[in-house]
Each structure stands twice: as C-alpha cells, then as structure tokens.
Amino acid sequence: MTVLAILQARMSSSRLPGKVMADLLGEPMLARQVERLRRCRTIDRLVLATSTDAADDALAELAARISVECFRGSLDDVLDRFHAAAAGSGAGQIVRLTGDCPLIDPELIDRLVELHVAGGYDHSCNTLTPRWPDGLDAEVMRAEVLEAAWREATLPSEREHVTRFIYTRPERFRLGSLVGDTDLSDQRWTVDTPEDLAMVRAVYAALYPANPAFGTDEILAFLAVHPEIAALNRAHRRNEGLERSLAQDAAKP
C-alpha cells in the first residue's frame, strides 16, 4: 500500500501573505517543514500542491531546489487541487498536510497513519478531539473517500477545507481519531500571523542548532521554561479560517 503525502501551500494567505516563504534560520519556512516531513517512516512519497497563480511560482521554484514533486492546480478550489495532485498516483492512502506547520511532528504523523491503517478507517486525524497543539495537524484518508468528497462536495467550506465533507458525515464514513494523553490544545504552533512567526522563530533559534530533529517533547520543555515565548501568539483562536468559510456557506444562495 502506497502512502502519498500532499502538502498544500500558497503565497496568498489572507492574514500573513507569503508566510510559507518566510525566513526560518536561513531557509524558507516551507523548506524547514519538508525537512521534518522527510523523517516520516510511513510516507512513501511527498508532493507539494500549490496553485497556478503567478504568486506561487516561488513555491514551484523552491520545490525544484529542494527536490520535492510539485503539482499546480486551482487557487480557490483547494479540494480540486488536492484531488488532482493525488490522481494517477496509485496511492491507497492520502495524507493531508498544510504548509503553515513548521513544527510538525513526524512521529505523530507515523502514529496517525498506523492507527488509520490498523483500524481500517476511511479518514483519520488528530484534530476531531483537539488535544494536540494547533500546528501538529495531520489527516489520512483512503483514496476512494477523497474521490467521493471531490465528486459530491458543494459548499464553499467543503471546497476550501479538503476533508470537511468527510469528517462531518460520521454516519457515512468510518472516522479514526488519534487523541493525545494530555490536553495541549491551548498551545498554538501554527503560523498564520506575525506573532505566530515570531514564536516559531524563537523555538527554532533555541532548539534547531543543537538538534535539527527536535520533537514535540523538546518544544514543550523549552516553552515550559520560557512561557513568554508561548504567550507571543496566545491571543489568536484555533480555526479562524474555517469560521470565515462557514460564513460563506451561510451566504450561499
């Protein structure tokens, strides 16, 4: 069984444009995330899925430089872009990742993929019961389930947020959930604002030089000693982007 990971990214973030190319210890943030993803044991192939928009030429160029496959598709219909990136790959399982998670944990992704396959689930994630820090998000789905979502999803939120059509239908799809032992959901490790970026840069500056493969435990230990770093971006809520999409759903005729 081939496991394909698709990392979706674009330059036109609404709150922090160009964030995926922001400098992180001398490399673009997206390159640092790819560096971490390459440590996953369960991923056979990694593809960057970006748009055909001219602004995303920089991402295609970065992908070529760091030897990552790149697929370019729709800017706004992210589900269509994601589906097209997977089409023809022959992969049985698709891992969905987003380019705003430079602290992503390869070990956590491996645990999720293993849970998903062992349980025979249609879709699995570590966010249905949010106990992990925001920014360690990962999802896995069967290729057939992605195909169904692509064919049937109609709401704006379902086209922008690739798996919303799936996880909101537990009566139809078998959903797996990787739940953390400790509730860390108040921690924000994603990058969507300047404050988020400042926090991540501080973590990298402290941990990366000594151990480029630093993991979740090392981050938690560092933040426990430096609560002022963790507090840099605490004012922002989880899933603010989804809230905007749901407002668009409500406005749809």
Side-chain angles (χ1 to χ4, degrees):
M1 177 201 64
T2 300
V3 177
L4 169 68
I6 299 178
L7 175 61
Q8 60 186 70
R10 60 184 178 126
M11 291 291 283
S12 52
S13 164
S14 58
R15 283 180 290 178
L16 189 59
K19 65 184 181 183
V20 294
M21 290 294 287
D23 181 80
L24 198 51
L25 288 188
E27 282 285 348
M29 186 177 85
L30 191 64
R32 293 297 184 197
Q33 183 170 349
V34 168
E35 181 182 343
R36 296 177 73 82
L37 293 174
R38 282 177 162 153
R39 298 190 181 99
C40 290
R41 295 177 288 101
T42 56
I43 291 175
D44 300 304
R45 183 177 162 199
L46 175 64
V47 174
L48 172 66
T50 190
S51 87
T52 54
D53 191 78
D56 290 327
D57 290 351
L59 301 190
E61 292 165 5
L62 173 64
R65 178 169 72 81
I66 62 176
S67 301
V68 172
E69 291 183 61
C70 182
F71 175 84
R72 304 185 72 172
S74 173
L75 175 63
D76 298 316
D77 189 342
V78 187
L79 176 53
D80 184 72
R81 186 203 318 164
F82 194 90
H83 172 265
S89 67
Q93 305 289 351
I94 314 296
V95 178
R96 176 178 176 254
L97 304 159
T98 58
D100 51 6
C101 300
L103 297 177
I104 196 75
D105 188 334
E107 181 181 342
L108 187 60
I109 295 172
D110 288 336
R111 287 175 58 190
L112 179 64
V113 172
E114 289 165 351
L115 175 145
H116 174 78
V117 173
Y121 294 111
D122 293 321
H123 172 274
S124 302
C125 69
N126 58 2
T127 54
L128 275 183
T129 303
R131 290 174 66 87
W132 303 100
D134 188 6
L136 297 187
D137 307 2
E139 302 175 80
V140 195
M141 69 209 83
R142 293 194 304 112
E144 296 87 351
V145 174
L146 172 61
E147 179 76 21
W150 174 73
R151 286 196 316 266
E152 301 175 37
T154 57
L155 292 174
S157 64
E158 295 171 344
R159 304 306 300 191
E160 180 180 358
H161 299 273
V162 171
T163 55
R164 181 168 173 77
F165 178 89
I166 303 167
Y167 67 73
T168 56
R169 289 167 171 78
E171 74 287 351
R172 176 174 174 183
F173 301 111
R174 294 195 66 232
L175 304 179
S177 182
L178 181 63
V179 182
D181 296 329
T182 305
D183 188 357
L184 303 171
S185 59
D186 63 328
Q187 303 233 16
R188 183 177 171 88
W189 298 0
T190 189
V191 174
D192 207 21
T193 69
E195 294 81 9
D196 294 335
L197 183 57
M199 179 271 185
V200 166
R201 281 173 168 164
V203 170
Y204 263 79
L207 300 180
Y208 186 93
N211 177 21
F214 67 90
T216 297
D217 289 344
E218 289 88 345
I219 300 171
L220 289 171
F222 169 72
L223 294 177
V225 177
H226 298 280
E228 74 282 1
I229 302 299
L232 284 173
N233 58 350
R234 283 282 175 82
H236 299 286
R237 300 189 312 279
R238 198 174 188 124
N239 294 329
E240 290 177 343
L242 177 58
E243 291 173 6
R244 292 194 302 273
S245 293
L246 293 177
Q248 291 177 340
D249 287 355
K252 185 180 178 183

